[in-house]
Amino acid sequence: MSSKLRVGVIGVGGIAANQHLPGWASLPDVEVVALADVAAERLDTVGDKFGIKERFTDYKDMVGLDLDVVDVCTPNRVHTPAVTAALSAGKHVICEKPLAVTTDEVRSMGELADAGGLKLMTAQHMRYTPAAQAVKKWIDAGGLGDVYHARVHAMRSNLIPIAPGFLNRKLSGGGPCMDIGVHALDLSLWLMGYPTPARVTGTSKTNFAKGTSIPGGWGEWDRDLVSVEDFAAGFVRFNNGATLVLETSWLGHQKEKEDMSCQLFGLDGGVKWPSAEFTEVTNGVLSQGSLTNPMAGPKPHHAELADFATCVRENLPSPVPWTETIRVIAILEAIYQSQESGREVAVRASDFPKLERKS
Ligand SMILES: NC(=O)c1ccc[n+]([C@@H]2O[C@H](COP(=O)([O-])OP(=O)(O)OC[C@H]3O[C@@H](n4cnc5c(N)ncnc54)[C@H](O)[C@@H]3O)[C@@H](O)[C@H]2O)c1
């Protein structure tokens, strides 16, 4: 490996230009040397802005270059082909969430990475928020004890993304489940120690996104393109007896613009993210507190990229391995299946690979 890690980015839209490219640029031992995007004008605008000369309108022409890492930031349904092409070319891959919208795709990419001895990470930047880090540390020190229930919210009142890549199921694979529910769910499962889901009951609905009754906070969108839910909810039972409720929406009647949060209930304590408030019993008294300074720290997207760069350089386990991601996607997949069938869906534990333990 050359002294600097050589990175190529596929898809240079919003998340790449606003977070990943500045994030990579903040790392002294990394250089982004190539970009790929089907939109040639966008490719030039972003390439000029970040001073990256190698540009490709077909990512297949980029993945064969002398690169160590490929960073995939395309719409969701392009993740699997782009990640597969990069892994097949022998590159380590970090990919935006959701890694894929079906468990079959997650598994096929994960097995390909494992077979090639390559790192594959899902970009779950919320794990790197200072509040999440503080809560995780508190939990790992035994603050919660066994967790028996989680309440998980990724609820927005009128923040519906307006890009076709989010609204059209052929590009996104789903609505708020795949856009923001995936964030809150991954974070909660990570805090819970990644229990294995066993049964899921769910609902998903398109209540407002095809109409005009709730105005969008991010501008107008093409209602005819909408083929995904704008609300979903799920009730999950895990193999270890714990349960979880997930609620996610882009549009709905609630006071908060966005409620992105989780609350965990354990036998020894309780905790909330992102407020980092906790409860416990001290000397026989139910007490409450707040973890100190949970909002300070490096930018989460930058910290996530730095962690991946370290894992590649030092041959460490992936910080967000596919073996965890497949459990998230299994739950979201089951919510959609449950909506279709009107019944509880069994998630077969035997289908899941073992979790990688990091230490
Ligand atoms: N982690 C986060 O906070 C966060 C935030 C926003 C988006 N995302 C994720 O990032 C991904 C991209 O979202 P975005 O908001 O940047 O979308 P976007 O629409 O702004 O950008 C996507 C880019 O991919 C390009 N593209 C589409 N098909 C392509 C292909 N076949 N080959 C190469 N490029 C292609 C588009 O031209 C566009 O420039 C999505 O998976 C989304 O879920 C994550």
Side-chain angles (χ1 to χ4, degrees), residues 4 26 71 108 142 152 172 245 261 311-312 327:
K4 285 200 174 195
S26 74
D71 178 8
S108 91
V152 184
S172 66
V245 172
S261 63
C311 122
V312 169
R327 287 158 164 83

Side-chain angles (χ1 to χ4, degrees), residues 22-303:
W24 288 124
S26 74
L27 302 177
D29 57 351
V30 173
E31 187 180 6
V32 177
V33 294
L35 304 177
D37 199 298
V38 284
E41 208 176 313
R42 176 81 188 163
L43 192 56
D44 282 338
T45 307
V46 176
D48 290 349
K49 181 171 176 195
F50 290 92
I52 299 156
K53 293 203 178 66
E54 299 264 23
R55 301 168 195 177
F56 301 87
T57 49
D58 186 340
Y59 62 76
K60 293 189 207 80
D61 297 329
M62 189 191 84
V63 294
L65 296 186
D66 174 22
L67 302 170
D68 301 300
V69 167
V70 168
D71 178 8
V72 176
C73 295
T74 58
N76 301 346
R77 296 293 301 171
V78 186
H79 290 178
T80 299
V83 170
T84 303
L87 291 172
S88 302
K91 309 302 188 283
H92 303 288
V93 178
I94 180 166
C95 177
E96 262 304 338
K97 41 51 66 174
L99 177 59
V101 299
T102 67
T103 47
D104 286 347
E105 289 169 87
V106 173
R107 181 189 307 281
S108 91
M109 289 184 276
E111 289 178 349
L112 188 58
D114 290 353
L118 297 164
K119 310 296 177 193
L120 174 61
M121 172 179 179
T122 312
Q124 297 290 172
H125 78 279
M126 288 194 184
R127 294 193 190 188
Y128 294 87
T129 56
Q133 293 285 322
V135 169
K136 176 78 170 143
K137 207 167 147 194
W138 183 81
I139 292 172
D140 287 349
L144 276 183
D146 288 342
V147 184
Y148 60 88
H149 185 63
R151 198 185 271 165
V152 184
H153 288 168
M155 296 286 286
R156 291 176 176 164
S157 59
N158 72 338
L159 297 178
I160 177 169
I162 59 175
F166 290 87
L167 303 175
N168 181 342
R169 185 173 292 275
K170 286 193 184 132
L171 293 172
S172 66
C177 273
M178 293 296 171
D179 179 27
I180 50 179
V182 70
H183 273 306
L185 190 54
D186 171 76
L187 184 85
S188 305
L189 295 183
W190 176 63
L191 293 174
M192 293 168 83
Y194 254 94
T196 294
R199 308 183 78 77
V200 177
T201 308
T203 178
S204 69
K205 292 184 163 34
T206 312
N207 290 318
F208 305 105
K210 291 185 85 60
T212 53
S213 68
I214 299 187
W218 286 332
E220 277 306 313
W221 69 95
D222 183 348
R223 269 71 175 172
D224 291 339
L225 271 187
V226 176
S227 48
V228 294
E229 82 282 2
D230 57 29
F231 166 79
F235 179 78
V236 185
R237 291 177 192 278
F238 296 94
N239 276 350
N240 66 0
T243 49
L244 177 150
V245 172
L246 169 71
E247 294 169 346
T248 184
S249 76
W250 281 337
L251 296 165
H253 291 287
Q254 65 176 40
K255 192 179 87 186
E256 305 84 1
K257 275 263 180 228
E258 179 175 276
D259 170 15
M260 180 72 78
S261 63
C262 74
Q263 182 168 10
L264 303 182
F265 298 85
L267 293 179
D268 295 336
V271 72
K272 286 182 177 178
W273 175 84
S275 67
E277 295 162 292
F278 64 89
T279 62
E280 59 189 4
V281 174
T282 314
N283 299 327
V285 179
L286 195 60
S287 62
Q288 294 154 13
S290 187
L291 299 169
T292 49
N293 203 17
M295 300 315 287
K299 288 186 178 167
H301 287 281
H302 295 200

